[in-house]
Amino acid sequence: MTVLLVIAQKDFRDEELFEPLQVFQSKNNIATQVVSNELGEHVGMLGRKITTNKTIDDVKSSDYNAIVIVGGSGSRDYLWNNETLLKLINEFNDDKKVVSAICISPVVLAHAGVLNDKNATIFEDDESIEEMKKAGAKLSNDGVVVDGNIVTAKGPQVAKEFGEKVLELIENL
């Protein structure tokens, strides 16, 4: 089992990457791969760093069991309208793999068209909420929402729980 985690090259939310990553890595049968739009070192909003050796353009959905889109302010600038990422999300969804996003990144799922008539949650940001509504998502105020193969979460305070829900779905594939 392999989980693909996607971060913005700048200003991803640290907890939303590292807490789910820790959940996945605590399981011996789960491998992880972190990618971004650019190679190299990336710095989160709180200063934690991670280095990527693959970009979104380098990955194939067939190599992974789940995709996790990490939030943070950089998501709006670098991920929301990334055509390669939107296509990748649709491939995961079409194959009934786990598709997940946290904070303002559920908008990426909305832009990919996978949230129409789905229960979802998002960080309370006016623009994000508007994008979700336009895409037909049924918004909930819960911290983490699971609807079929899709997991959405509000923000850093539920990052660990988000990782656990994604893991639970992967293990039940």
Side-chain angles (χ1 to χ4, degrees):
M1 298 284 193
T2 307
V3 178
L4 178 67
L5 296 101
V6 180
I7 60 171
Q9 59 262 43
K10 291 184 205 157
D11 294 327
F12 63 86
R13 187 65 192 216
D14 304 50
E15 312 95 300
E16 296 169 1
L17 170 63
F18 291 106
E19 289 182 25
L21 200 54
Q22 187 173 8
V23 168
F24 304 142
Q25 291 174 342
S26 71
K27 293 294 216 176
N28 292 333
N29 62 332
I30 303 288
T32 57
Q33 173 83 58
V34 180
V35 299
S36 187
N37 289 321
E38 299 174 357
L39 297 176
E41 186 176 81
H42 308 286
V43 181
M45 293 174 67
L46 304 179
R48 288 193 65 188
K49 297 175 182 175
I50 191 161
T51 301
T52 59
N53 58 15
K54 274 191 176 183
T55 68
I56 295 167
D57 294 326
D58 297 330
V59 299
K60 294 185 186 96
S61 62
S62 58
D63 294 337
Y64 304 93
N65 303 90
I67 187 168
V68 174
I69 315 297
V70 174
S73 62
S75 177
R76 185 183 328 263
D77 297 326
Y78 303 109
L79 302 179
W80 277 18
N81 296 302
N82 180 303
E83 291 298 326
T84 303
L85 180 56
L86 299 178
K87 182 175 176 273
L88 203 56
I89 289 165
N90 276 293
E91 290 171 7
F92 273 86
N93 194 55
D94 290 347
D95 291 339
K96 302 292 184 239
K97 295 180 179 183
V98 178
V99 175
S100 63
I102 186 169
C103 191
I104 64 170
S105 287
V107 170
V108 181
L109 307 185
H111 286 177
V114 301
L115 292 182
N116 186 36
D117 212 28
K118 295 282 188 181
N119 295 305
T121 192
I122 192 156
F123 182 79
E124 303 220 354
D125 163 84
D126 290 342
E127 185 182 3
S128 300
I129 292 168
E130 186 59 33
E131 292 297 314
M132 296 288 280
K133 287 179 179 175
K134 279 198 290 193
K138 295 190 267 182
L139 288 178
S140 163
N141 207 22
D142 294 342
V144 179
V145 173
V146 177
D147 189 333
N149 64 314
I150 297 175
V151 183
T152 52
K154 270 190 177 281
Q157 69 281 10
V158 294
K160 183 177 183 197
E161 181 186 350
F162 169 68
E164 290 167 348
K165 286 290 183 195
V166 170
L167 181 62
E168 191 179 303
L169 279 185
I170 294 168
E171 291 180 332
N172 291 317
L173 285 175

